[in-house]
Amino acid sequence: MKHSINKIFNNLIMILTLITMISFFLGLAIYGQNSSSSKINNLNMQKSILSSLTKLNKEDVELAIIQLNGKSTQLHYEIEKLKAVYQYDYLGQYFLNNSNEYLADLNELSLLTSSFNQKASLYYTKESENEDIKKQELQKSYSYLANHINSLLLKELSYNQKKFYLFEKVAILLFALLLVVTIWYRKRLQLIYNDILFLYAVENNKKGYGV
């Protein structure tokens, strides 16, 4: 009986350890999921900044250049933030295995942003020569960059859908495991409890018989 009790409790400890590890994984995944919201907010903010840079007032060129320089710097800063946030996207790195694709997309975003900033710098000057051409080039660069950001947003939504399916499967597995463990060990522990009561009754009878 002693061997049976030891075996049951050793197995119980092992299963509870497994459940703890799965729960820890879910905790990390949920924590990492917050990075996805940060990335989406970041990309939407970049789109807003880009849109504003195409509508600066050329009548006050000096002010326009100041605003352009400030917002251009902010755009590159936001890209660096996207790289930093990805460090906490554990599901994306280790389960979806999208690190190379994600970093390549950010490098492309950085290049397109630099190109856009260059076109904007050429457009927002006191020189009026070839202004229509410069404006067309700026709009074209803006379209390329905005489309790339939109593609990043769509990819992030796709990643989130895959993450949700993974969450769902792990949650179902954890629930099923808890249910099986509860039912199985409830019966086993009840048997042990009955055996202990039986042995206790036998011991009391022996003492009564001796008296």
Side-chain angles (χ1 to χ4, degrees):
M1 177 180 169
K2 181 178 179 181
H3 174 72
S4 177
I5 292 175
N6 285 336
K7 184 177 180 181
I8 288 174
F9 277 96
N10 285 336
N11 290 338
L12 180 59
I13 291 172
M14 182 179 67
I15 292 176
L16 290 177
T17 301
L18 177 62
I19 291 173
T20 302
M21 291 176 63
I22 295 175
S23 300
F24 179 72
F25 160 77
L26 280 176
L28 283 178
I30 292 171
Y31 178 74
Q33 187 65 10
N34 292 330
S35 69
S36 181
S37 298
S38 299
K39 285 185 279 186
I40 290 174
N41 292 336
N42 181 298
L43 291 169
N44 282 324
M45 180 188 297
Q46 289 192 54
K47 284 181 64 177
S48 177
I49 293 173
L50 286 172
S51 178
S52 69
L53 287 177
T54 62
K55 302 173 183 176
L56 297 179
N57 186 5
K58 284 203 67 176
E59 293 181 2
D60 190 345
V61 175
E62 291 183 358
L63 177 61
I65 292 175
I66 292 173
Q67 292 175 328
L68 172 63
N69 291 336
K71 292 185 178 183
S72 297
T73 301
Q74 185 180 357
L75 285 173
H76 282 290
Y77 175 70
E78 295 301 330
I79 295 173
E80 292 303 315
K81 281 173 62 177
L82 286 175
K83 293 180 180 179
V85 166
Y86 187 68
Q87 297 176 14
Y88 304 101
D89 188 1
Y90 303 109
L91 282 179
Q93 293 182 59
Y94 303 111
F95 292 92
L96 299 181
N97 196 26
N98 64 353
S99 298
N100 292 334
E101 180 184 18
Y102 181 79
L103 294 177
D105 283 337
L106 289 188
N107 288 334
E108 179 69 14
L109 178 62
S110 182
L111 291 174
L112 289 173
T113 299
S114 296
S115 177
F116 173 83
N117 290 338
Q118 184 180 16
K119 301 295 184 185
S121 296
L122 291 174
Y123 177 68
Y124 291 108
T125 62
K126 294 180 180 180
E127 299 177 4
S128 58
E129 185 179 356
N130 298 324
E131 185 171 341
D132 290 340
I133 296 176
K134 292 176 182 178
K135 186 174 182 179
Q136 290 176 5
E137 290 293 327
L138 178 62
Q139 289 295 337
K140 186 185 297 183
S141 182
Y142 168 78
S143 296
Y144 288 150
L145 186 50
N147 288 338
H148 186 65
I149 292 176
N150 287 335
S151 72
L152 291 180
L153 285 168
L154 289 175
K155 284 183 180 181
E156 193 60 37
L157 292 175
S158 176
Y159 292 151
N160 285 341
Q161 190 175 30
K162 292 177 181 178
K163 291 174 187 178
F164 174 77
Y165 290 146
L166 186 57
F167 279 139
E168 188 179 41
K169 291 177 181 178
V170 173
I172 291 173
L173 175 63
L174 185 60
F175 175 78
L177 186 59
L178 285 171
L179 184 62
V180 170
V181 169
T182 301
I183 295 174
W184 179 265
Y185 279 96
R186 183 179 181 278
K187 293 180 180 179
R188 290 289 180 262
L189 293 175
Q190 185 64 46
L191 290 174
I192 292 173
Y193 178 71
N194 292 338
D195 288 343
I196 292 173
L197 287 180
F198 175 76
L199 292 175
Y200 181 73
V202 171
E203 187 66 24
N204 282 341
N205 289 334
K206 286 182 179 179
K207 289 180 180 180
Y209 180 77
V211 174

